[in-house]
Amino acid sequence: MKQDVFHGTIPALLTPLTADRQPDFDALVRKGQQMIAAGMSGVVYCGSCGDWPLLTDDQRMEGVRRLIRAGVPVVVGTGAINTRSAVAHARHAQDMGAAGLMVIPRVLSRGQSVAAQRHHFKAVLDAAPDVPAIIYNSPYYGYSTKADLFFALRDEHKNLIGFKEFGGKDDLSYAAKHITSMDDQVILMVGVDTEVYHGFVKCGAVGAITGIGTIFPKETLLQTALSRRAAQGCPEADLRARELAQAFSVLAKFDEGVDLVLYFKHLMTLKGEPEYALNINETDVLSTSQARFCEAQYHQFNAWFATWSRQGGVIAECM
């Protein structure tokens, strides 16, 4: 079972919209192709960045279909209000030849029940037995998968190959201590933009799923490359990785908040991509103050990076 897509950097695609707030699938495909051309190992669709709760199942499947037919390796998000829908997305991913699955826990209904989550995960994994899958852990989904459940599932589903942790340092450290260090064949993915350095250097992550990477692909790929070198014991790479993480810190923090899609779409429009100007719900907008803050951080980071990245050394080697 190929796992190559997970041993890299994977941006979580936003959903671009037409003037009538419908998914712009042509723009989605263009962005997916741009990400692969930039050096990403694949893309995620639909995760939180893709607004999965606001799209219909048919719209989500159409996005996956278009991306895969365009030759883009896709990790499919299986988030759903009910297991039946999650299974349908997993089965569709298998039928389309998706590169991977990002298995999201059962939400709202019996979300705190370990037994309910076990049956939910099993049903999704059963629906796509040939697709490598990672469990997506996030405090926003209200359930934290622990080692005992993970390995009980892995004993029965060999397509479960890893763990994506969206939480902070403590959550990543738990995953490394109790899950991904138990078995050399189980991988850890950094799932939040604020903890790329910690995930790679301190927890042995092999890849990252990123929100900010869709806006800053070159800079995000450099961050993961420097972090990999730092994990191998290179002091210069360690220093530069931490410098870049600090410069990225405010923009990366958007990934942790409830307005992440609004911020990321606004950043895309600052890059001159108007297909990201609208959100699915008309009332989902940044305040004037939020927008101005976002713009100031965007311009400050670009100015800093333009100078910092010219230093040569390990930066040049990793770019």
Side-chain angles (χ1 to χ4, degrees):
M1 185 177 296
K2 291 187 66 175
Q3 303 178 18
D4 298 359
V5 68
F6 293 114
H7 291 257
T9 306
I10 310 173
L13 296 185
L14 301 157
T15 299
L17 299 177
T18 61
D20 58 352
R21 300 181 189 271
Q22 295 301 306
D24 185 339
F25 294 115
D26 291 337
L28 179 71
V29 169
R30 284 198 304 272
K31 182 54 64 180
Q33 292 172 324
Q34 289 170 9
M35 293 294 100
I36 301 306
M40 302 293 186
S41 60
V43 303
V44 164
Y45 196 72
C46 269
S48 302
C49 284
D51 269 331
W52 70 258
L54 303 182
L55 297 171
T56 68
D57 286 350
D58 286 344
Q59 287 172 330
R60 290 169 60 181
M61 290 180 185
E62 181 65 12
V64 169
R65 182 182 300 111
R66 295 277 196 100
L67 286 162
I68 293 174
R69 286 181 176 173
V72 178
V74 180
V75 176
V76 177
T78 66
I81 297 300
N82 63 72
T83 300
R84 188 180 304 107
S85 292
V87 165
H89 288 294
R91 186 172 295 121
H92 181 256
Q94 165 110 3
D95 292 344
M96 292 300 304
L101 280 185
M102 191 169 70
V103 186
I104 294 172
R106 178 173 173 174
V107 295
L108 298 182
S109 169
R110 300 189 68 219
Q112 296 301 313
S113 166
V114 176
Q117 294 292 1
R118 184 175 187 274
H119 288 298
H120 177 83
F121 286 135
K122 283 183 59 62
V124 174
L125 293 166
D126 271 336
D130 301 321
V131 183
I134 57 173
I135 284 181
Y136 180 4
N137 227 38
S138 169
Y140 287 102
Y141 291 124
Y143 181 79
S144 181
T145 302
K146 298 301 183 183
D148 52 353
L149 176 56
F150 181 90
F151 285 107
L153 292 166
R154 182 164 162 77
D155 284 345
E156 299 179 26
H157 304 277
K158 297 308 178 185
N159 56 325
L160 177 58
I161 55 93
F163 201 76
K164 174 198 170 182
E165 179 54 68
F166 185 86
K169 287 182 175 63
D170 289 346
D171 299 299
L172 278 161
S173 296
Y174 172 86
K177 288 178 184 176
H178 301 289
I179 298 177
T180 56
S181 295
M182 179 73 71
D183 183 340
D184 289 342
Q185 301 304 307
V186 176
I187 65 171
L188 175 64
M189 302 288 295
V190 182
V192 62
D193 289 330
T194 53
E195 300 298 346
V196 172
Y197 173 85
H198 183 76
F200 277 98
V201 180
K202 304 301 182 183
C203 299
V206 303
I209 293 176
T210 170
I212 201 69
T214 308
I215 298 96
F216 295 102
K218 176 180 69 175
E219 296 85 348
T220 299
L221 286 165
L222 176 59
Q223 185 181 32
T224 57
L226 288 169
S227 296
R228 289 180 191 278
R229 289 282 292 273
Q232 295 167 1
C234 174
E236 184 188 0
D238 190 272
L239 173 64
R240 300 309 184 197
R242 286 185 284 113
E243 288 174 346
L244 183 50
Q246 178 60 34
F248 244 148
S249 61
V250 175
L251 293 168
K253 191 75 173 176
F254 293 153
D255 193 35
E256 294 182 344
V258 295
D259 291 330
L260 79 164
V261 173
L262 310 189
Y263 278 116
F264 287 163
K265 282 197 165 187
H266 190 56
L267 289 167
M268 293 293 276
T269 64
L270 294 176
K271 291 183 63 178
E273 302 190 40
E275 58 269 35
Y276 294 94
L278 298 178
N279 290 291
I280 294 172
N281 290 336
E282 291 184 25
T283 54
D284 287 343
V285 293
L286 294 175
S287 70
T288 300
S289 180
Q290 284 177 308
R292 288 176 177 172
F293 177 74
C294 180
E295 291 157 15
Q297 293 299 319
Y298 173 78
H299 294 304
Q300 182 187 79
F301 176 80
N302 283 334
W304 177 88
F305 186 84
T307 300
W308 177 85
S309 60
R310 291 199 295 263
Q311 295 179 90
V314 72
I315 296 173
E317 293 170 11
C318 289
M319 285 187 73

